[in-house]
Structures are given as structure tokens and as C-alpha cells.
């Protein structure tokens, strides 16, 4: 409860500094492994759709759970870099496990890639690589 | 607009925003138990049943949600929801009318600041003034809701014009307090701004939570007008 009260304080005296600087932006990449020592074939978690129709955008006004969860995972990735905690790592890995519940590979690993501007293009920096997790309890 | 009427309008809009948010969590099996109480309390708030106590219960329950996610789930929109809930509680439970008005006025002040400060930090930054920051949001941030929106980064003049429109709007919104008509127009523009953000960046929760805070501004404008 005390921790909850501490987390409430920034809401009572907010800073409202939305987008004051455009910081490097995290992407979560994961790999499904058949062997914990195998070389990882990384793929981006929840790639955004190529295009959205206006009707889809309207629907998302009232029903947008996956996108909001993805934004939460962006927060977890940022927290993991700023103030590392088991909570953020666990939140990411639990959602990766849930999303890959039907995969045959028994092992899972993720990494954080921060994208930033370089000239007129972008660059990617790997800032965190997780341990290899077993997808299910043995 | 009386204080009680403004509080009631805020409660109804907040109840809708909380229901929308809770529905998105109820579909996640691991989060269902946490959000069922919020859903039930929001329905009671919408119906106006024991509203002061329901607001207090929602605020206490929100502390458990904060603890579960180790902070807000969706940053600014969650924080606005918490601020509204806190101000509603104080607006109901403060002992004198003056104190109740001060609590609800604080919400209105924070809504104004949410625009003004956001505009001020942008206009103070050369990257926002040149449109570079907006292009970066489109180019590499996590926010564009589809890949096709990233192409907008290739339209520097349009993006720069849009950046200036946003900055001037955010800085200018407090001026709308001069009259009730100006404020209604200002808030309609503000709601449109959040609607566009929801469409382009998927920030749907911002739309509903900021909308829930607007009655406080409409009340404050009339309260100030009556006092002057």
C-alpha cells in the first residue's frame, strides 16, 4: 500500500512534459530456441500493421488492448534500462511466453534494441539481452 | 454550472473511461481478477450510487493496480485518471464549500497546465520549432500505429506546420478561459487533437480521460466569471 501511495504522488503533482525530447525508442526482439546454447534468430515482438483503415482506427478508440499492452511493454523496456528490476523483465517475458504458447521450442530469450536517429536515417543499439528462459516449467 | 453538477458530469465521464480501460484488461486472463472490482465500482459510479464512497474505493483500488504494474500502465492517461479520482474524492469529502471548490479547481488548473506545459517544453526546444522532433516521432518512436504512418517523416514542411499548430494550440488554450464560448471551442479543438492522437498513435485512453476532466474547466470558467 505504501509503495502504491509513493507511485500515486507523480499523478497528484504531474509534470506534463510530454515529448519534451524524443529519446531513443525501444523495440523488444525475441528468439525461440530449441537449445539454450543455440544462436538466436531474433524477430521483433508485435510488429505494427503495415496500414490501418479509418474504421480500424475508430474501433481502436474503444477497443485497443493489444496496442495499450505494447505501450506498457515499451514502458517496461525503458524502466529496465533506467532502473533495472525483476518486475519489468518478468512482465516482458510473461507476455512473450503467452504469445508463443503454441511454439514447439522450449526456450525463449529476448533483447532490447533502442532505435534513434542517425543523419536522415536510424540506428539500432542493443542495450539488454535477457537470460535464456524455459517457456514452461519442466 | 454548479459544483455538484460538474462533479456529477466528471464522475459519469470518468466512469466511462474506467470501464473502457477495464474492459481491455478483462480480456487478459491474468489481469481479470484485478480489474473486476474496478469494473463493478465504475458501474456504480456511472449509476450515481454512493458516488463519494465509490470514488474513494476506486482510488484505494487504484493503489493496488499501481503496485501490480509497478507504476502507471499507460503513463499520462493513467495519471490523469488518478488525478481526477483524487480531486473528486476531495471535492466530495472536504468539509467546506470553499475547500471543495479548491480541490475541483486544482483539477481544472492541472488540465490547463497539461496543455500549457506540454506546449512550453516543445516551443523551448529547437528540434520542435524546426519540426525535427515530430519527424522523429514518426520516423522511429514506438507510437505510430501503423508502418505507413512513418512515411509522414518524409514531409518536413507539413510536419513542421503541424508542430507549430500543436504548440500554439497548447500554449493558447488557457486564453480560452476568457469566455464560455471560447472555452467550448477550445475544448472541442482539444478533444479533436486527442482524437487525432488516438487514431495516429493509438492513444485512445488519453482521449477518454482528458474528456472526463473537461467539466472541471467549464465549471472553473463560470466560477471565475461569477467571482469577477
Amino acid at each position: 500500500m505504501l509503495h502504491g501511495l509513493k507511485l500515486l504522488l507523480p499523478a497528484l503533482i504531474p509534470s506534463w512534459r510530454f515529448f519534451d525530447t524524443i529519446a531513443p525508442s525501444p523495440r523488444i526482439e525475441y528468439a525461440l530456441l530449441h537449445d539454450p546454447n543455440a544462436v538466436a534468430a531474433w524477430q521483433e515482438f508485435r510488429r505494427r500493421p503495415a496500414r490501418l483503415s479509418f474504421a480500424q482506427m475508430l474501433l481502436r478508440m474503444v477497443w485497443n488492448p493489444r496496442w495499450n499492452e505494447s505501450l506498457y511493454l515499451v514502458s517496461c523496456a525503458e524502466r529496465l534500462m533506467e532502473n533495472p528490476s525483476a518486475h519489468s523483465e518478468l512482465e516482458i517475458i510473461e507476455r512473450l511466453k503467452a504469445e508463443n504458447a503454441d511454439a514447439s521450442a522450449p526456450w525463449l530469450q529476448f533483447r532490447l534494441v533502442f532505435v534513434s536517429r542517425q543523419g536522415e536515417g536510424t540506428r539500432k543499439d542493443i542495450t539488454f539481452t535477457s537470460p535464456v528462459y524455459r517457456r514452461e516449467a519442466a | 454550472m454548479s459544483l455538484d453538477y460538474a462533479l456529477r458530469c466528471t464522475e459519469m465521464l470518468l466512469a466511462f473511461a474506467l470501464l473502457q480501460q477495464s474492459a481491455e484488461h478483462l480480456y487478459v486472463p491474468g489481469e481479470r481478477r484485478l480489474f473486476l472490482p474496478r469494473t463493478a465500482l465504475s458501474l456504480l459510479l456511472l449509476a450515481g450510487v454512493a458516488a463519494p464512497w465509490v470514488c474513494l474505493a476506486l482510488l484505494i483500488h487504484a493503489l493496488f493496480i499501481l503496485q501490480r504494474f509497478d507504476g502507471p500502465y499507460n503513463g499520462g492517461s493513467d495519471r490523469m485518471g488518478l488525478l481526477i479520482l483524487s480531486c473528486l474524492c476531495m471535492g466530495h469529502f472536504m468539509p467546506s464549500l470553499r475547500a471543495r471548490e479548491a480541490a475541483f479547481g486544482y483539477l481544472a488548473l492541472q488540465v490547463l497546465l497539461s496543455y500549457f506545459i506540454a506546449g512550453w517544453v516543445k516551443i523551448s526546444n529547437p528540434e520542435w520549432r524546426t519540426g525535427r522532433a515530430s519527424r522523429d516521432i514518426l520516423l522511429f518512436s514506438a507510437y505510430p500505429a501503423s508502418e505507413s504512418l512513418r512515411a509522414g517523416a518524409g514531409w518536413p514542411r507539413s510536419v513542421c506546420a503541424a508542430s507549430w499548430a500543436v504548440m500554439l494550440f497548447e500554449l493558447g488554450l488557457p486564453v480560452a478561459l476568457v469566455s464560455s464560448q471560447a472555452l467550448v471551442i477550445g475544448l472541442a479543438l482539444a478533444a479533436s487533437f486527442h482524437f487525432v492522437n488516438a487514431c495516429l498513435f493509438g492513444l485512445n485512453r488519453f482521449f477518454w480521460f482528458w474528456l472526463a476532466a473537461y467539466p472541471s474547466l467549464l465549471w472553473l470558467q463560470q466560477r471565475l466569471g461569477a467571482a469577477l
Side-chain angles (χ1 to χ4, degrees):
Chain A
M1 190 66 127
L2 271 179
H3 185 53
L5 279 171
K6 191 178 152 196
L7 295 171
L8 176 66
L9 278 179
L12 301 181
I13 311 162
S15 80
W16 304 129
R17 297 173 69 89
F18 299 121
F19 296 110
D20 52 346
T21 54
I22 312 304
S25 176
R27 305 284 186 276
I28 296 169
E29 293 184 348
Y30 71 99
L32 295 164
L33 306 168
H34 287 280
D35 177 324
N37 299 312
V39 177
W42 299 105
Q43 51 187 313
E44 190 175 332
F45 182 51
R46 289 191 185 167
R47 289 188 68 88
R48 69 204 66 235
R51 194 169 293 277
L52 280 177
S53 69
F54 186 61
Q56 285 172 308
M57 288 177 181
L58 281 183
L59 178 64
R60 283 174 170 219
M61 288 298 296
V62 289
W63 185 248
N64 204 10
R66 275 177 66 84
W67 182 258
N68 281 319
E69 188 178 59
S70 297
L71 291 181
Y72 169 60
L73 293 179
V74 167
S75 300
C76 288
E78 287 168 346
R79 289 178 201 170
L80 202 48
M81 290 296 91
E82 290 161 12
N83 190 16
S85 73
H87 178 274
S88 298
E89 194 171 330
L90 202 62
E91 288 290 273
I92 294 172
I93 202 74
E94 286 304 324
R95 282 161 178 82
L96 284 167
K97 282 181 182 176
E99 198 103 330
N100 292 284
D102 299 330
S104 61
W107 304 92
L108 183 67
Q109 189 176 21
F110 78 89
R111 68 181 185 182
L112 301 180
V113 178
F114 275 72
V115 185
S116 58
R117 174 164 45 86
Q118 186 169 49
E120 285 304 304
T122 56
R123 62 175 283 173
K124 295 180 177 180
D125 295 289
I126 300 160
T127 57
F128 176 86
T129 304
S130 79
V132 176
Y133 286 89
R134 196 169 177 85
R135 281 202 312 109
E136 293 167 26
Chain B
M1 182 186 276
S2 71
L3 177 64
D4 286 334
Y5 182 69
L7 286 172
R8 184 69 199 120
C9 291
T10 307
E11 285 165 5
M12 292 176 76
L13 289 167
L14 179 67
F16 180 81
L18 291 172
L19 282 169
Q20 188 280 325
Q21 180 200 56
S22 300
E24 292 188 349
H25 287 280
L26 289 178
Y27 119 110
V28 183
E31 293 166 11
R32 203 164 286 155
R33 279 174 63 185
L34 185 62
F35 281 87
L36 271 173
R38 174 171 273 194
T39 306
L41 289 167
S42 301
L43 286 169
L44 289 175
L45 187 64
L46 192 63
V49 178
W53 296 104
V54 169
C55 284
L56 187 61
L58 277 166
L59 185 60
I60 293 168
H61 184 257
L63 300 182
F64 291 99
I65 295 177
L66 276 174
Q67 196 149 323
R68 161 65 185 82
F69 295 112
D70 201 24
Y73 185 83
N74 277 155
S77 60
D78 278 14
R79 288 200 169 126
M80 178 55 93
L82 289 165
L83 179 66
I84 297 172
L85 262 181
S86 305
C87 292
L88 279 176
C89 284
M90 289 190 287
H92 281 302
F93 287 110
M94 281 291 184
S96 68
L97 177 63
R98 184 65 61 89
R100 293 175 64 209
E101 287 186 333
F104 200 53
Y106 179 73
L107 173 60
L109 174 71
Q110 286 297 341
V111 179
L112 275 186
L113 287 175
S114 74
Y115 293 103
F116 185 79
I117 293 177
W120 181 256
V121 297
K122 286 188 187 83
I123 210 162
S124 306
N125 181 342
E127 295 212 325
W128 270 100
R129 294 197 300 271
T130 58
R132 180 74 256 183
S134 295
R135 287 171 65 202
D136 283 352
I137 290 173
L138 293 168
L139 183 68
F140 67 79
S141 84
Y143 292 100
S146 69
E147 285 299 331
S148 62
L149 291 171
R150 295 209 185 278
W155 298 76
R157 284 186 188 174
S158 306
V159 172
C160 186
S163 298
W164 273 98
V166 168
M167 288 187 289
L168 293 176
F169 161 71
E170 288 180 329
L171 287 169
L173 189 67
V175 179
L177 277 179
V178 294
S179 79
S180 56
Q181 291 90 339
L183 185 59
V184 168
I185 293 168
L187 292 181
L189 283 173
S192 309
F193 168 64
H194 291 297
F195 177 77
V196 171
N197 280 339
C199 288
L200 300 184
F201 304 128
L203 303 173
N204 61 323
R205 294 184 181 185
F206 274 77
F207 177 82
W208 299 113
F209 280 110
W210 255 259
L211 210 65
Y214 289 171
S216 67
L217 270 178
L218 294 166
W219 168 80
L220 182 69
Q221 196 278 331
Q222 289 189 10
R223 180 70 183 80
L224 291 176
L228 292 174

